[in-house]
Amino acid sequence: MTNPDPAMDRIAIWQRWSLIIGIAASLGAFAAFQINRAEFLRSYLFAYLFWAGMALGCLGILLLHHTVGGKWGMVIRRFCEAGARTIPIMAVLLIPVLVSLGTLYVWAGPEGARDADIQSKAAYLNVPFFIARAVFYFAIWTLYAFLLSKWSAEQDRTADAGLAGRMRALSAPGLVVFVVTTTFAFFDWIMSIEPHWFSTVYGAMFLMGLVLEAFALIIALLIILSKHAPLRDYVTPQHLHDLGNMMFAFTVLWAYLAFSQFIIIWAGNLPEEIPWYLRRLAKGWNAIAVFLIVFHFCLPFVLLLQRDMKRRAGLLLKLCAFMLVVRIVDVFWVVEPGFYQQQLQVHWTDFLLPVAIGGLWLAALFRQLRARPLVPLNDPRLRGAPRETVAF
Amino acid sequence: MEIEYTGQSGLYGLMASFDRPEPLLEAAREARAEGYRDMDAYAPMPVEGLAEAVGFRSNSVSRIVFAGGLMGAIGGFGLMWWISVIAYPHIVDGRPLNSWPAYIPITFECMVLIASITAVVGMLALNGLPRPYHPVFNVPQFERASRDQFFLCIEATDPKFDLAATRRFLEHLKPLEVMEVEA
C-alpha cells in the first residue's frame, strides 16, 4: 500500500495475523485429525457452522438492507459484501464434512441402513443427494453475493441511479429464496445428525442466531474502523443506535423462535419429538441451556433496551464481543449434544477448530474488505446527515 | 408542563414561520446557541434532530414503559400461577401444577399490553394532554403547522426573552414572518 490509509493498514495487519493464527491452528487441527478422526470431525462441523454462519449472516443482512433500504445499512454494506464474497471459500471448507458423512451422520453409516425409520427417509437422506443439495445451496448463495457485489462496484464507478432499484428487485425475492435454502441447509447439515427428530422452525431459529452473530461482528469492526477515515466521516451515534436496534430485534426474534420450538414440543410431549430437548437438558448441558437463557436473551434484552448502550461506541463494542462468545456457545449447544447422548463433553478440539476455521475465514473476510472502498461511493442514500429530516 | 400566563402584557411568546424543515432546524439550533431555553418547534411531519435542537435530552416515557412492562410480566405470570396452583389446581397431562413454560405466552402478552398502555397514557400525561387551550392557536397562520409550514416559538417565560431583542434575533433567521402570540 503506497497511500497512507490507516484503516486499510489496520485491516491488512488483522488479515496477516488471522492468517498466521488460522494456519498455525490448522496444523494443530491436522494433528487432531490423525489422533481421533471422529472427535476432529464433530468439532469441525460445529466450528464450520459458526463461521459459515457469519458469511451467510452477512449475505442475509445485505439482502435485508437492499430490500428495506435503511440508512443503517449504508455504513455496513461493504462489510456485508465482503462477508458474502467469502461464501465460496466456505463451500470449499465443507468438503471435509462431505467426504466423511458416514462418520458424522447416523443415516449415512451402517447403523442407518438397519433402521427402518431412517430407511423411510432414504429418498431425501442419502449421500449423493446430500452433496448435490449442498452444491445447489452454495451455487445460489454465491450467485446472490456475486451479483450484489458486482452491481455495488458498478455503482461506485458509474453512479448509475438505476442500480439501487436493480439491487432491491433482486434482494426482495432473494430474501425468500435465502431463508428457504438456509432452512434446508440446516436441516441437512445439523438437524440430520439426529435423523429421527424434526422441527420446521429449526432452520429459521438457527438462521436468526447467525444473523445476530454477523451483526455483532460487523458492528464491532465498524466501531473500531470508525476511528479512521473514511468511516469516521459517516458513522454517527444515530447509525450505531439503529444497528443496536437491529441487534435487539434479532435477539428477540431468536428467543421467540427458540421458545416457539420449545413450547410446542414441551406441550405435545411426544416420544419422537422430546429427545432433542432431553439430550440438551441432560447432565452438564442443562447448565449451558440456563446460560443461554440468561446471556443470549435476558441480559442483551435489558442492555439493548437502553439508549446509551446503543449510542456509546465503547459500550456497544463490548456487548458485540460478548455476544460473539455467547453465539459460539449456542451453536455448540445446538450441534454437539446430537453426538453425545448422555452428558456434556468438551474436547480440546472444540477450542482449536473454531480458532483454525475462524482464522482462515477472517483472513478471507479482511482480504475481501480491502478490495473495495469501505463506504459505497455513489449511493445517494449515504450522502447527507444520517436520518436528518427524513427517517429512512 | 403547566400552562403559564406570565410574561409581558399578556404575551405568550414570539413565533417565526418557515416554509421548509431545514431552516427551522437551523433556527432552533441557533436559538439554543443564543441562550434561549423556553421554546418549542412545530412541524407537520417528524423532523429528525429537531427535538434535540430545542433542548430535548431524554424523557421518562421509556422508564415508565419499562416499569409498566415489568409489572405486566410479573402480573401475567402471577395470574397464571395463581389460577393453576391456587385457585383451580388441576393436574393436566401428568404435569406439575406449576408448569411455568405454559405461562410464558400469557406473561409476554401481559407485558406487551401493560407496556403499550403505559406508553400511551404516560406520553399523554407527560405532554400535559388533553389540553383544551393553547396560546399558539391564537396565531391564525398556525393552522398551517399541520399542513405545510414550520414554526419556532420562543416563549415569554424565557429569562432571556425581550420583545425587541428577541424579535430582532428571529428576524435575522430569515423566516417568512415573525408573529406575536397572545397568551
mmCIF file of all heavy atoms in Angstrom, chain A residues 260-275 277, chain B residues 92-95 101-102:
data_model
loop_
_atom_site.group_PDB
_atom_site.id
_atom_site.type_symbol
_atom_site.label_atom_id
_atom_site.label_comp_id
_atom_site.label_asym_id
_atom_site.label_seq_id
_atom_site.Cartn_x
_atom_site.Cartn_y
_atom_site.Cartn_z
ATOM 1 N N SER A 260 -40.653 -20.801 20.675
ATOM 2 C CA SER A 260 -41.777 -21.407 19.936
ATOM 3 C C SER A 260 -41.531 -22.897 19.741
ATOM 4 O O SER A 260 -42.442 -23.717 19.928
ATOM 5 C CB SER A 260 -41.928 -20.773 18.554
ATOM 6 O OG SER A 260 -42.085 -19.405 18.659
ATOM 7 N N GLN A 261 -40.304 -23.235 19.333
ATOM 8 C CA GLN A 261 -39.993 -24.647 19.119
ATOM 9 C C GLN A 261 -40.118 -25.419 20.435
ATOM 10 O O GLN A 261 -40.703 -26.495 20.478
ATOM 11 C CB GLN A 261 -38.578 -24.783 18.553
ATOM 12 C CG GLN A 261 -38.189 -26.227 18.327
ATOM 13 C CD GLN A 261 -36.760 -26.359 17.830
ATOM 14 O OE1 GLN A 261 -36.446 -26.010 16.709
ATOM 15 N NE2 GLN A 261 -35.899 -26.864 18.675
ATOM 16 N N PHE A 262 -39.601 -24.804 21.504
ATOM 17 C CA PHE A 262 -39.622 -25.492 22.794
ATOM 18 C C PHE A 262 -41.042 -25.716 23.292
ATOM 19 O O PHE A 262 -41.405 -26.823 23.694
ATOM 20 C CB PHE A 262 -38.814 -24.697 23.826
ATOM 21 C CG PHE A 262 -38.928 -25.257 25.210
ATOM 22 C CD1 PHE A 262 -38.261 -26.419 25.559
ATOM 23 C CD2 PHE A 262 -39.721 -24.634 26.168
ATOM 24 C CE1 PHE A 262 -38.378 -26.959 26.822
ATOM 25 C CE2 PHE A 262 -39.849 -25.166 27.436
ATOM 26 C CZ PHE A 262 -39.174 -26.328 27.767
ATOM 27 N N ILE A 263 -41.880 -24.663 23.260
ATOM 28 C CA ILE A 263 -43.192 -24.783 23.898
ATOM 29 C C ILE A 263 -44.068 -25.785 23.158
ATOM 30 O O ILE A 263 -44.836 -26.535 23.775
ATOM 31 C CB ILE A 263 -43.903 -23.405 24.012
ATOM 32 C CG1 ILE A 263 -45.197 -23.516 24.836
ATOM 33 C CG2 ILE A 263 -44.261 -22.808 22.700
ATOM 34 C CD1 ILE A 263 -45.068 -22.953 26.202
ATOM 35 N N ILE A 264 -43.918 -25.857 21.813
ATOM 36 C CA ILE A 264 -44.736 -26.802 21.056
ATOM 37 C C ILE A 264 -44.332 -28.233 21.391
ATOM 38 O O ILE A 264 -45.184 -29.097 21.641
ATOM 39 C CB ILE A 264 -44.611 -26.511 19.542
ATOM 40 C CG1 ILE A 264 -45.364 -25.219 19.228
ATOM 41 C CG2 ILE A 264 -45.167 -27.664 18.728
ATOM 42 C CD1 ILE A 264 -45.082 -24.660 17.870
ATOM 43 N N ILE A 265 -43.016 -28.465 21.458
ATOM 44 C CA ILE A 265 -42.553 -29.818 21.758
ATOM 45 C C ILE A 265 -42.856 -30.168 23.219
ATOM 46 O O ILE A 265 -43.281 -31.279 23.540
ATOM 47 C CB ILE A 265 -41.048 -29.929 21.431
ATOM 48 C CG1 ILE A 265 -40.865 -29.885 19.917
ATOM 49 C CG2 ILE A 265 -40.462 -31.212 22.019
ATOM 50 C CD1 ILE A 265 -39.457 -29.863 19.459
ATOM 51 N N TRP A 266 -42.694 -29.203 24.107
ATOM 52 C CA TRP A 266 -42.979 -29.429 25.528
ATOM 53 C C TRP A 266 -44.464 -29.741 25.742
ATOM 54 O O TRP A 266 -44.827 -30.661 26.486
ATOM 55 C CB TRP A 266 -42.583 -28.181 26.324
ATOM 56 C CG TRP A 266 -42.916 -28.249 27.772
ATOM 57 C CD1 TRP A 266 -42.172 -28.806 28.758
ATOM 58 C CD2 TRP A 266 -44.094 -27.718 28.405
ATOM 59 N NE1 TRP A 266 -42.793 -28.667 29.968
ATOM 60 C CE2 TRP A 266 -43.988 -28.011 29.777
ATOM 61 C CE3 TRP A 266 -45.219 -27.039 27.939
ATOM 62 C CZ2 TRP A 266 -44.956 -27.630 30.702
ATOM 63 C CZ3 TRP A 266 -46.187 -26.666 28.852
ATOM 64 C CH2 TRP A 266 -46.049 -26.966 30.217
ATOM 65 N N ALA A 267 -45.322 -28.968 25.056
ATOM 66 C CA ALA A 267 -46.760 -29.167 25.236
ATOM 67 C C ALA A 267 -47.217 -30.485 24.618
ATOM 68 O O ALA A 267 -48.060 -31.186 25.181
ATOM 69 C CB ALA A 267 -47.527 -27.991 24.614
ATOM 70 N N GLY A 268 -46.669 -30.827 23.455
ATOM 71 C CA GLY A 268 -47.049 -32.077 22.805
ATOM 72 C C GLY A 268 -46.551 -33.287 23.567
ATOM 73 O O GLY A 268 -47.244 -34.281 23.690
ATOM 74 N N ASN A 269 -45.311 -33.190 24.052
ATOM 75 C CA ASN A 269 -44.725 -34.248 24.884
ATOM 76 C C ASN A 269 -44.738 -35.606 24.177
ATOM 77 O O ASN A 269 -45.052 -36.631 24.780
ATOM 78 C CB ASN A 269 -45.487 -34.338 26.215
ATOM 79 C CG ASN A 269 -44.603 -34.866 27.316
ATOM 80 O OD1 ASN A 269 -43.378 -34.914 27.158
ATOM 81 N ND2 ASN A 269 -45.189 -35.271 28.424
ATOM 82 N N LEU A 270 -44.394 -35.586 22.874
ATOM 83 C CA LEU A 270 -44.429 -36.816 22.088
ATOM 84 C C LEU A 270 -43.058 -37.487 22.075
ATOM 85 O O LEU A 270 -42.042 -36.795 22.002
ATOM 86 C CB LEU A 270 -44.860 -36.514 20.645
ATOM 87 C CG LEU A 270 -46.265 -35.926 20.500
ATOM 88 C CD1 LEU A 270 -46.512 -35.488 19.072
ATOM 89 C CD2 LEU A 270 -47.305 -36.923 20.962
ATOM 90 N N PRO A 271 -43.056 -38.827 22.128
ATOM 91 C CA PRO A 271 -41.769 -39.528 22.257
ATOM 92 C C PRO A 271 -40.805 -39.270 21.099
ATOM 93 O O PRO A 271 -39.599 -39.335 21.295
ATOM 94 C CB PRO A 271 -42.169 -41.004 22.321
ATOM 95 C CG PRO A 271 -43.593 -41.065 21.904
ATOM 96 C CD PRO A 271 -44.200 -39.738 22.178
ATOM 97 N N GLU A 272 -41.299 -38.985 19.870
ATOM 98 C CA GLU A 272 -40.344 -38.767 18.790
ATOM 99 C C GLU A 272 -39.822 -37.329 18.768
ATOM 100 O O GLU A 272 -38.877 -37.020 18.070
ATOM 101 C CB GLU A 272 -40.936 -39.148 17.430
ATOM 102 C CG GLU A 272 -42.084 -38.289 16.952
ATOM 103 C CD GLU A 272 -43.442 -38.864 17.357
ATOM 104 O OE1 GLU A 272 -43.509 -39.514 18.433
ATOM 105 O OE2 GLU A 272 -44.418 -38.654 16.616
ATOM 106 N N GLU A 273 -40.475 -36.435 19.515
ATOM 107 C CA GLU A 273 -40.058 -35.032 19.478
ATOM 108 C C GLU A 273 -39.191 -34.634 20.667
ATOM 109 O O GLU A 273 -38.287 -33.809 20.528
ATOM 110 C CB GLU A 273 -41.296 -34.123 19.439
ATOM 111 C CG GLU A 273 -42.006 -34.164 18.106
ATOM 112 C CD GLU A 273 -43.193 -33.226 18.057
ATOM 113 O OE1 GLU A 273 -43.573 -32.692 19.114
ATOM 114 O OE2 GLU A 273 -43.740 -33.035 16.960
ATOM 115 N N ILE A 274 -39.459 -35.171 21.848
ATOM 116 C CA ILE A 274 -38.763 -34.661 23.042
ATOM 117 C C ILE A 274 -37.291 -35.045 23.183
ATOM 118 O O ILE A 274 -36.582 -34.358 23.899
ATOM 119 C CB ILE A 274 -39.520 -34.999 24.352
ATOM 120 C CG1 ILE A 274 -39.761 -36.494 24.460
ATOM 121 C CG2 ILE A 274 -40.825 -34.234 24.445
ATOM 122 C CD1 ILE A 274 -40.330 -36.911 25.800
ATOM 123 N N PRO A 275 -36.794 -36.105 22.492
ATOM 124 C CA PRO A 275 -35.384 -36.449 22.755
ATOM 125 C C PRO A 275 -34.406 -35.305 22.501
ATOM 126 O O PRO A 275 -33.390 -35.186 23.170
ATOM 127 C CB PRO A 275 -35.116 -37.607 21.779
ATOM 128 C CG PRO A 275 -36.433 -38.198 21.515
ATOM 129 C CD PRO A 275 -37.400 -37.067 21.571
ATOM 130 N N TYR A 277 -34.673 -32.212 23.217
ATOM 131 C CA TYR A 277 -34.517 -31.411 24.437
ATOM 132 C C TYR A 277 -33.991 -32.235 25.595
ATOM 133 O O TYR A 277 -33.252 -31.715 26.435
ATOM 134 C CB TYR A 277 -35.837 -30.726 24.797
ATOM 135 C CG TYR A 277 -36.079 -29.516 23.937
ATOM 136 C CD1 TYR A 277 -36.996 -29.544 22.906
ATOM 137 C CD2 TYR A 277 -35.334 -28.357 24.114
ATOM 138 C CE1 TYR A 277 -37.183 -28.441 22.084
ATOM 139 C CE2 TYR A 277 -35.510 -27.260 23.306
ATOM 140 C CZ TYR A 277 -36.436 -27.300 22.294
ATOM 141 O OH TYR A 277 -36.603 -26.221 21.482
ATOM 142 N N VAL B 92 -53.031 -31.653 34.670
ATOM 143 C CA VAL B 92 -53.298 -31.821 33.246
ATOM 144 C C VAL B 92 -52.126 -32.569 32.634
ATOM 145 O O VAL B 92 -50.972 -32.140 32.772
ATOM 146 C CB VAL B 92 -53.473 -30.449 32.552
ATOM 147 C CG1 VAL B 92 -53.715 -30.646 31.064
ATOM 148 C CG2 VAL B 92 -54.613 -29.672 33.184
ATOM 149 N N ASP B 93 -52.417 -33.695 31.952
ATOM 150 C CA ASP B 93 -51.395 -34.380 31.179
ATOM 151 C C ASP B 93 -50.221 -34.836 32.055
ATOM 152 O O ASP B 93 -49.093 -34.931 31.587
ATOM 153 C CB ASP B 93 -50.885 -33.426 30.081
ATOM 154 C CG ASP B 93 -50.348 -34.192 28.895
ATOM 155 O OD1 ASP B 93 -50.492 -35.428 28.899
ATOM 156 O OD2 ASP B 93 -49.789 -33.565 27.983
ATOM 157 N N GLY B 94 -50.491 -35.042 33.352
ATOM 158 C CA GLY B 94 -49.434 -35.517 34.238
ATOM 159 C C GLY B 94 -48.348 -34.520 34.551
ATOM 160 O O GLY B 94 -47.289 -34.885 35.057
ATOM 161 N N ARG B 95 -48.594 -33.266 34.240
ATOM 162 C CA ARG B 95 -47.556 -32.257 34.515
ATOM 163 C C ARG B 95 -47.720 -31.718 35.929
ATOM 164 O O ARG B 95 -48.800 -31.752 36.496
ATOM 165 C CB ARG B 95 -47.680 -31.103 33.537
ATOM 166 C CG ARG B 95 -47.414 -31.484 32.105
ATOM 167 C CD ARG B 95 -47.685 -30.281 31.214
ATOM 168 N NE ARG B 95 -48.057 -30.693 29.884
ATOM 169 C CZ ARG B 95 -47.176 -31.022 28.943
ATOM 170 N NH1 ARG B 95 -45.890 -30.965 29.201
ATOM 171 N NH2 ARG B 95 -47.576 -31.400 27.756
ATOM 172 N N PRO B 101 -43.509 -23.225 31.717
ATOM 173 C CA PRO B 101 -43.400 -22.881 30.283
ATOM 174 C C PRO B 101 -44.738 -22.472 29.678
ATOM 175 O O PRO B 101 -44.803 -21.606 28.803
ATOM 176 C CB PRO B 101 -42.870 -24.166 29.650
ATOM 177 C CG PRO B 101 -42.136 -24.857 30.738
ATOM 178 C CD PRO B 101 -42.915 -24.556 31.987
ATOM 179 N N ALA B 102 -45.825 -23.064 30.206
ATOM 180 C CA ALA B 102 -47.145 -22.732 29.671
ATOM 181 C C ALA B 102 -47.545 -21.305 30.029
ATOM 182 O O ALA B 102 -48.419 -20.726 29.391
ATOM 183 C CB ALA B 102 -48.178 -23.716 30.204
#
